[in-house]
Amino acid sequence: MASVSLAFDPNHNHSTCRKQALAKAKQLCHERKLRMTPIRELVLDTIWQSHKPLGAYELLPTLSEAGFNSAPPTVYRALEFLQEQGLVHRIALLNAFIGCPHPGAKHHCSFLICQHCGNTQELDMQAVSAQINLQAADLGFTPQQQSLEVLGLCRNCQEQQP
């Protein structure tokens, strides 16, 4: 799983990216014999509208506009399903969610988060994960989950600064 710059590439075709993400999600649900309900699909589609993480409460107006129950438990149930299926990741630092560019592949989550524009890029950090596991084992610790979230400025925002 290679690190592909989706969020920080100014030439990125986001419309294609979004369509591919939704198609892959539907395919995975079909293969797993799970239902991609209209609410789940709408939440996932809304998350994929950009490469900026969205909080659960930011998703409520979209559900309401589409005529669905826009109560927080509805959104949280959809997000829980999408997370369990590996279709979205939770960015703990922001208490927000972002689409996974490679669902179905088991991987550890690592993110670069631009503090200026909010775009977030998932990284392939297998070497870092392996090093964490080695050092944890030396200490008699067994990691259950890993997430690395790095704040900074993307290339585009750096170029815009005086």
Side-chain angles (χ1 to χ4, degrees):
M1 172 176 43
S3 292
V4 177
S5 178
L6 301 175
F8 304 138
D9 180 358
N11 299 314
H12 171 63
N13 182 338
H14 190 68
S15 176
T16 300
C17 167
R18 181 176 164 194
K19 288 175 188 170
Q20 289 173 344
L22 292 173
K24 180 67 174 172
K26 289 177 184 178
Q27 175 190 346
L28 284 173
C29 285
H30 178 74
E31 290 170 2
R32 296 171 181 171
K33 297 182 181 359
L34 299 169
R35 286 189 61 222
M36 177 58 83
T37 64
I39 289 176
R40 292 170 178 169
E41 185 175 346
L42 180 59
V43 168
L44 184 61
D45 184 49
T46 304
I47 288 172
W48 270 102
Q49 286 182 7
S50 75
H51 289 287
K52 295 177 174 87
L54 292 175
Y57 283 85
E58 294 173 283
L59 297 166
L60 292 174
T62 303
L63 288 180
S64 179
E65 290 169 11
F68 293 110
N69 177 5
S70 62
T74 303
V75 172
Y76 282 112
R77 279 192 297 273
L79 288 168
E80 180 181 22
F81 172 85
L82 296 171
Q83 269 189 284
E84 287 171 355
Q85 300 311 312
L87 302 172
V88 300
H89 296 296
R90 181 175 176 270
I91 308 283
L93 191 64
L94 304 174
N95 193 24
F97 299 84
I98 190 155
C100 177
H102 26 62
K106 186 176 167 102
H107 59 284
H108 297 287
C109 304
S110 302
F111 304 95
L112 299 178
I113 305 165
C114 181
Q115 290 176 288
H116 186 262
C117 69
N119 281 343
T120 300
Q121 174 70 50
E122 184 175 334
L123 297 177
D124 177 3
M125 298 286 285
Q126 291 178 355
V128 172
S129 178
Q131 188 61 37
I132 289 170
N133 287 336
L134 282 173
Q135 290 188 23
D138 288 347
L139 298 171
F141 184 83
T142 303
Q144 300 296 314
Q145 180 178 341
Q146 294 181 28
S147 180
L148 176 64
E149 300 167 0
V150 181
L151 294 172
L153 292 176
C154 69
R155 179 183 314 132
N156 299 333
C157 291
Q158 290 176 49
E159 291 172 357
Q160 292 174 9
Q161 287 191 339

